Amino acid sequence: MKLHEQLNLLTVDELKQRRDLTPTGDRSTRKADIIEALAQYLLAGDLSSVWQRLSALDIDAIAEAVHHWGGRFDPVRFRLRYGKIPEYFGRRSYSWGTLKVEQPSVLKLFFYQGEIPEDLLPRLAGLAPRPAELAITTLSDEDLPATVASHGAAGASEPLRLVATEALVRNDLPAVLRLIGQGGIAVGPKTGLPSSAAVAKLESILLGGDWYQPEDDLGSQRWAGGAIRPIRPFAWPLLLQVAGLAKLDGSKLALTARGSKALSQPLETVVSHLFERWQAKGAPDELRRVDLIKGQTSRSAQLSALADRRTVIAEALKDCCPVGRWISLDEFFRQMRFRNHDFEVTYNAWALYFSDPNYGSLGTEGFGGFEILQARYILVYLFEYLATLGLLDVAYTSPYHARPDYSEAWGTDDFLFLSRYDGLRYVRLNALGAFCLGLTPDYRPTVEKKPPLLATGADLGLTLLRDPEPAERLLLERIAQHLSADRWRLDPDALLRESADANERGRIRDFLDAATVGELPAEFCQLLESVGERATALVDAGSARLIRCKDAAIAALLASDPSTAPHCMRAGDRLVCVPDPKLAAFRKGLARLGLVLPETPIG
């Protein structure tokens, strides 16, 4: 709206209040005359005396509105940047029914219902300097604090744990795929969630185990927060299923053809596919992992689309997280909201609650804001899924009392945390994350090259030079015999069994080449070549029917007549063999010879 239109919406008393803030000297009593005088002054008069009465914060409010927000004042974004808002935009306070007396602000000359009139914008844009872009506060490894204060006890602190996740996923992805290939992961037939035994197996093969160790868990009751693990072992089966690398086979997961192929593909190709599929189809809802927010399964909760939430967060990561630099979660949230990366978790917060639906509803003002819903959703998404995939490095503490922003809500007095992910303090977008988010066209690993694992010896002997990572041990156990603490011996029979698949045969050779000091001895090379020859000596040509003829003459006829000979082969004096794909053509040839093959009864 233009200035005249905005002024016309005001009462005469409201117009006089604004006129009294100007040096015009106009004393008109008619509404139209007051409007004209105010408009003339604001659009063409000398504003210097009024401008001098503005505080620095007031001028910042005008500058942000005219240069960044299309003339509208955004109190949430302004507070995120400046820490407070001008008093003019704050709530009026009442005391015993009496309005608190406030000094009149000249901002009311420029803002009408929180917006600057469009014909006044050009003039104010010339008076208020354009604000600089909001700088993103990031840190290097050296800048990160060694410890973080705990809110649980006065003066208490705990060490900050730093994890570079690219090295983890390089171990974890093939290890989990191989474990699934061995039938070692039991999941729920309807949910696809891993069983307790499967979680324990997964944790044993993940590099470094889970984010938290058993001793980190204080064993709190469910109503106080519950268990803080599992996280990574919980995520892997879900990620692989939604991406089509694993599928339910009875009560356990089995590798799909895509999953087997993934063991031979570049890491970035597989992880990028996992990320894309989780973005589009990942389930269950990450919010379900915040156990203390109740009512999520109710229809009235009206939760938003998962893909929409994830897309917004991924765009925020690209916009707010410089590659290779740490950013605190609080700074990420601030930048995300200031830059308008907004999303809804629910369209009816009244259906969600803490402890009791009648008193603890998140629809109550102050209970279900960004920190409770959006921030907790983001923490799950980043810590459980993106960090597990190796896209984000993480720096974290235990979740206990780490983020007590829920403490004013009803029913939270006994909460030790709101989510097991509250301990995530900083994240760093790494090279793999930059590639998967489309920030770089190529992936250049930042993982340091590992020292050799094995030294070769006589009689196919292997000596450990360092502790094997879980994925390395898993493969070593499949192709070698464990002789002592650091001694192994390559097993020819096991090698042959594992080499039936050509891709796996290549992976074993690559593993031995990369894991041993220097070139493989001739004895090892000869064994691998021999295994390769024997593994390719036979080929499964598919299923076939073995047909017994009444006599040898009929068998000879079938094997020589042009009607049937292209579709069968002699398999004995009275036997011919017909491949299944050629069975239909063989039957037609039989008909031309005046013969018929009876159908084989089923069962």
Side-chain angles (χ1 to χ4, degrees):
M1 295 177 67
K2 293 189 175 182
L3 180 59
H4 279 84
E5 295 173 302
Q6 290 283 13
L7 291 173
N8 197 50
L9 295 175
L10 301 176
T11 65
V12 171
D13 285 342
E14 290 171 330
L15 289 169
K16 289 180 178 179
Q17 291 173 9
R18 283 165 172 77
R19 184 181 64 182
D20 291 344
L21 297 173
T22 71
T24 60
D26 177 73
R27 290 295 176 263
S28 303
T29 56
R30 293 179 64 248
K31 182 175 182 178
D33 294 337
I34 301 174
I35 289 175
E36 191 59 38
L38 274 171
Q40 179 65 27
Y41 173 72
L42 291 173
L43 294 174
D46 181 5
L47 296 179
S48 58
S49 62
V50 169
W51 202 259
Q52 291 172 1
R53 293 161 61 188
L54 292 168
S55 68
L57 196 65
D58 293 338
I59 295 175
D60 288 334
I62 295 172
E64 293 286 357
V66 299
H67 291 294
H68 291 155
W69 301 334
R72 178 169 291 279
F73 180 74
D74 188 328
V76 173
R77 295 171 72 190
F78 192 87
R79 192 185 298 275
L80 287 168
R81 175 164 190 168
Y82 297 95
K84 57 182 179 179
I85 62 175
E87 289 184 6
Y88 173 70
F89 296 107
R91 293 179 180 174
R92 295 182 176 182
S93 58
Y94 293 81
S95 177
W96 296 100
T98 303
L99 183 66
K100 180 181 178 181
V101 178
E102 298 176 355
Q103 293 297 320
S105 169
V106 294
L107 281 177
K108 65 171 56 179
L109 291 172
F110 307 121
F111 285 97
Y112 300 83
Q113 298 178 352
E115 190 170 357
I116 299 172
E118 59 187 74
D119 51 347
L120 188 55
L121 284 174
R123 188 164 198 214
L124 296 184
L127 293 172
R130 176 182 289 274
E133 292 295 324
L134 179 61
I136 301 173
T137 302
T138 62
L139 301 94
S140 65
D141 283 345
E142 294 74 21
D143 297 329
L144 284 177
T147 60
V148 177
S150 170
H151 296 277
S157 62
E158 61 176 301
L160 190 66
R161 314 179 198 188
L162 275 64
V163 180
T165 59
E166 280 183 86
L168 300 190
V169 73
R170 196 169 294 279
N171 167 90
D172 297 348
L173 178 57
V176 175
L177 288 173
R178 287 195 171 95
L179 185 61
I180 291 174
Q182 295 172 7
I185 302 299
V187 295
K190 294 183 178 180
T191 64
L193 301 180
S195 66
S196 299
V199 165
K201 286 184 180 179
L202 284 164
E203 185 173 359
S204 70
I205 64 164
L206 298 180
L207 189 58
D210 206 348
W211 298 129
Y212 298 113
Q213 302 305 312
E215 58 269 21
D216 295 322
D217 196 323
L218 300 183
S220 60
Q221 298 294 325
R222 293 184 64 181
W223 44 261
I228 65 173
R229 6 175 307 119
I231 298 179
R232 291 169 64 205
F234 180 88
W236 270 118
L238 300 176
L239 288 165
L240 296 174
Q241 287 178 82
V242 77
L245 273 63
K247 65 179 181 180
L248 193 63
D249 184 11
S251 62
K252 294 186 177 182
L253 290 182
L255 280 188
T256 62
R258 182 188 286 271
S260 297
K261 183 179 178 182
L263 284 165
S264 302
Q265 291 180 307
L267 175 74
E268 65 272 21
T269 301
V270 182
V271 172
S272 180
H273 172 69
L274 290 170
F275 171 66
E276 289 173 3
R277 294 303 298 165
W278 186 261
Q279 288 291 99
K281 299 291 184 180
D285 187 337
E286 290 91 341
L287 191 68
R288 294 290 298 275
R289 297 285 282 157
V290 185
D291 304 319
L292 292 175
I293 296 180
K294 308 297 184 182
Q296 297 183 43
T297 58
S298 167
R299 288 186 179 181
S300 59
Q302 299 178 33
L303 299 179
S304 61
L306 294 174
D308 293 344
R309 297 183 222 163
R310 294 167 184 152
T311 298
V312 171
I313 303 170
E315 289 299 317
L317 288 170
K318 293 193 285 186
D319 192 23
C320 308
C321 296
V323 179
R325 299 282 296 179
W326 292 101
I327 182 171
S328 73
L329 266 295
D330 289 333
E331 175 68 3
F332 176 63
F333 294 152
R334 184 173 81 106
Q335 292 287 343
M336 184 176 177
R337 298 173 71 190
F338 185 80
R339 295 166 186 258
N340 268 350
H341 296 292
D342 300 322
F343 66 92
E344 296 294 336
V345 172
T346 175
Y347 298 109
N348 181 25
W350 288 99
L352 304 178
Y353 60 92
F354 295 138
S355 302
D356 185 278
N358 296 314
Y359 298 100
S361 172
L362 300 191
T364 305
E365 187 172 358
F367 282 18
F370 178 92
E371 293 77 10
I372 302 300
L373 289 173
Q374 283 87 344
R376 266 20 186 242
Y377 178 86
I378 294 169
L379 288 171
V380 183
Y381 173 78
L382 299 182
F383 206 12
E384 185 156 272
Y385 296 97
L386 267 59
T388 295
L389 284 174
L391 276 60
L392 296 172
D393 300 334
V394 291
Y396 62 98
T397 63
S398 73
Y400 299 105
H401 306 291
R403 192 173 283 274
D405 44 19
Y406 54 82
S407 58
E408 297 300 319
W410 189 94
T412 63
D413 293 349
D414 295 325
F415 287 8
L416 299 181
F417 52 78
L418 183 49
S419 82
R420 61 178 61 85
Y421 313 93
D422 283 7
L424 183 60
R425 307 289 187 147
Y426 300 86
V427 294
R428 178 174 61 188
L429 187 62
N430 56 35
L432 184 57
F435 174 77
C436 292
L437 288 170
L439 293 174
T440 55
D442 303 304
Y443 170 58
R444 296 183 179 179
T446 56
V447 180
E448 295 182 1
K449 187 176 181 180
K450 293 180 290 190
L453 173 66
L454 302 165
T456 57
D459 196 24
L460 303 178
L462 298 168
T463 302
L464 287 178
L465 301 177
R466 60 174 171 82
D467 289 336
E469 294 176 354
E472 292 172 329
R473 176 174 288 278
L474 199 62
L475 183 53
L476 195 59
E477 289 173 346
R478 293 169 61 186
I479 62 173
Q481 298 171 340
H482 194 189
L483 304 178
S484 63
D486 62 348
R487 290 280 298 159
W488 295 72
R489 182 180 180 277
L490 210 56
D491 185 342
D493 293 336
L495 267 178
L496 184 60
R497 286 195 303 272
E498 297 296 334
S499 296
D501 178 80
N503 290 327
E504 187 66 11
R505 189 164 61 249
R507 288 190 288 267
I508 291 171
R509 178 60 186 258
D510 291 342
F511 168 74
L512 290 172
D513 284 336
T516 53
V517 177
E519 295 185 359
L520 286 175
E523 183 183 11
F524 283 73
C525 294
Q526 290 168 3
L527 173 61
L528 292 173
E529 290 172 5
S530 172
V531 166
E533 291 175 359
R534 285 179 285 156
T536 56
L538 302 175
V539 176
D540 185 350
S543 300
R545 295 289 185 94
L546 188 63
I547 299 171
R548 185 172 61 250
C549 302
K550 182 177 181 181
D551 53 48
I554 295 178
L557 172 66
L558 297 179
S560 59
D561 191 278
S563 299
T564 53
H567 314 301
C568 68
M569 62 188 70
R570 198 79 177 264
D573 188 43
R574 297 168 53 199
L575 298 174
V576 293
C577 183
V578 182
D580 278 352
K582 295 186 176 183
L583 185 58
F586 180 75
R587 287 185 184 276
K588 291 180 180 179
L590 288 178
R592 285 194 288 271
L593 295 176
L595 299 171
V596 65
L597 176 66
E599 293 288 346
T600 302
I602 299 175

